[in-house]
Amino acid sequence: MRNTAKITTAVLAAGALTLGLSACGSDKSNSASDTSGPLVVAASPTPHAEILDYIKDNLAKKAGLDLQVKEFTDYVTPNTATEDGSVGANYFQNQPYLDDFNKKNGTHIVPVVTVHLEPLGLYSHKIKKTDELKSGATVAVPNDTVNEARALKLLASKGLITLKDGAGNGATTQDIAKNPKNLKFKELEAAQTPRSLDDVDAAVINGNYAISSGLKPAKDALFLESATNNPYGNFLAVKKGNESDPRVKKLAKLLTSPEVKKFIEDKYAGSVIPSF
């Protein structure tokens, strides 16, 4: 992707936490405290960075916004970089994930504006419909707290399992009350779930990772979660106190513009759904 810095190592993500949220470097020239410089936004490659690149190439100049995009392939570093000021904002996550992250890491990230939903889906290279899942089949699910719970809720919504009463955003396989097909679960880092499709019977995959691996959620998923009243919309986020940064306000307006809505609908054909 043009003019986009890529940071791909999980080591960097781990280091960010180990060094007390400081591993993203000491360069604060692009931090949220300097509103005269460019706004640097941390984003997952697909679709977040693609949407931001569309804005950068087509809308930002006219709006008077100097926008820079940094790609991250993990779900940790974008928040730690936003917390320590290495970037001014991020765009990759949903509210349940952010709530859990802030609680566990003592960060102070807040949402600014919700932009889109990437429906979570069940995929398989071995079956064409869920009725073909055999007893004892193995299903891969993301292993982070929120996405594992989200995956289990999706399976429960289709009757493949039943969760215990009260199982919420922290649900794990230990919260399964009924498992009529005796499904076995393989817990993997979310980014690894698409790569598991040749080794498991089915996998629950986040929308961004499905798209980046060449899957078309609206076409290839055995089923997708409903977009109705869905709490997992992805949003632009900043460190608390930076919501009024004029650069952030400009980007929030562009992210929810008719032009961006059309771009999302045309490019992703139902695999990414505008939330505005």
Side-chain angles (χ1 to χ4, degrees), residues 121-246:
L122 182 70
Y123 300 81
S124 177
H125 282 173
K126 299 179 180 179
I127 62 173
K128 299 294 184 182
K129 53 186 179 180
T130 53
D131 290 347
E132 298 172 4
L133 270 177
K134 297 179 180 179
S135 179
T138 299
V139 178
V141 295
N143 66 1
D144 63 275
T145 302
V146 171
N147 281 308
E148 181 168 6
R150 186 180 176 188
L152 295 175
K153 289 179 183 180
L154 174 65
L155 297 175
S157 73
K158 301 300 180 180
L160 291 175
I161 60 173
T162 301
L163 293 173
K164 297 175 182 177
D165 291 342
N169 291 330
T172 70
T173 54
Q174 299 301 311
D175 293 297
I176 296 174
K178 295 181 181 179
N179 186 359
K181 286 183 175 288
N182 193 30
L183 298 176
K184 296 178 174 60
F185 295 94
K186 188 172 185 178
E187 297 167 309
L188 300 171
E189 183 182 352
Q192 302 300 318
T193 51
R195 303 175 194 176
S196 74
L197 284 172
D198 290 331
D199 303 316
V200 299
D201 296 289
V204 180
I205 303 175
N206 291 71
N208 62 315
Y209 290 130
I211 295 168
S212 62
S213 67
L215 294 167
K216 297 181 179 179
K219 177 183 177 182
D220 296 331
L222 297 176
F223 53 75
L224 294 170
E225 64 185 356
S226 172
T228 303
N229 298 321
N230 193 301
Y232 297 103
N234 284 205
F235 47 68
L236 179 69
V238 298
K239 185 175 182 179
K240 187 175 181 178
N242 295 329
E243 302 95 317
S244 297
D245 183 325

Side-chain angles (χ1 to χ4, degrees), residues 259-270 272:
E259 293 89 343
V260 167
K261 183 174 184 179
K262 185 177 187 303
F263 172 78
I264 292 173
E265 291 174 341
D266 291 348
K267 183 172 180 63
Y268 302 108
V272 178

Side-chain angles (χ1 to χ4, degrees), residues 17-228:
L17 292 177
T18 303
L19 297 177
L21 308 180
S22 63
C24 292
S26 58
D27 179 7
K28 306 299 185 194
S29 61
N30 290 326
S31 72
S33 62
D34 178 15
T35 61
S36 64
L39 178 64
V40 183
V41 183
S44 297
T46 305
H48 310 79
E50 293 174 347
I51 294 170
L52 291 171
D53 277 342
Y54 169 77
I55 290 173
K56 179 179 178 180
D57 293 342
N58 297 278
L59 306 175
K61 184 176 181 180
K62 185 177 180 180
L65 175 65
D66 185 356
L67 177 64
Q68 294 184 7
V69 185
K70 280 191 175 183
E71 289 187 18
F72 293 78
T73 59
D74 69 280
Y75 284 168
V76 174
T77 321
N79 274 337
T80 58
T82 304
E83 178 75 12
D84 75 15
S86 298
V87 301
N90 67 55
Y91 175 34
F92 77 100
Q93 66 193 318
N94 57 56
Q95 192 68 59
Y97 178 83
L98 176 59
D99 290 343
D100 181 70
F101 190 95
N102 279 336
K103 181 178 179 180
K104 289 180 176 178
N105 296 287
T107 46
H108 309 85
I109 313 300
V110 296
V112 176
V113 65
T114 302
V115 182
H116 74 267
L117 172 72
E118 303 159 24
L120 200 71
L122 182 70
Y123 300 81
S124 177
H125 282 173
K126 299 179 180 179
I127 62 173
K128 299 294 184 182
K129 53 186 179 180
T130 53
D131 290 347
E132 298 172 4
L133 270 177
K134 297 179 180 179
S135 179
T138 299
V139 178
V141 295
N143 66 1
D144 63 275
T145 302
V146 171
N147 281 308
E148 181 168 6
R150 186 180 176 188
L152 295 175
K153 289 179 183 180
L154 174 65
L155 297 175
S157 73
K158 301 300 180 180
L160 291 175
I161 60 173
T162 301
L163 293 173
K164 297 175 182 177
D165 291 342
N169 291 330
T172 70
T173 54
Q174 299 301 311
D175 293 297
I176 296 174
K178 295 181 181 179
N179 186 359
K181 286 183 175 288
N182 193 30
L183 298 176
K184 296 178 174 60
F185 295 94
K186 188 172 185 178
E187 297 167 309
L188 300 171
E189 183 182 352
Q192 302 300 318
T193 51
R195 303 175 194 176
S196 74
L197 284 172
D198 290 331
D199 303 316
V200 299
D201 296 289
V204 180
I205 303 175
N206 291 71
N208 62 315
Y209 290 130
I211 295 168
S212 62
S213 67
L215 294 167
K216 297 181 179 179
K219 177 183 177 182
D220 296 331
L222 297 176
F223 53 75
L224 294 170
E225 64 185 356
S226 172
T228 303

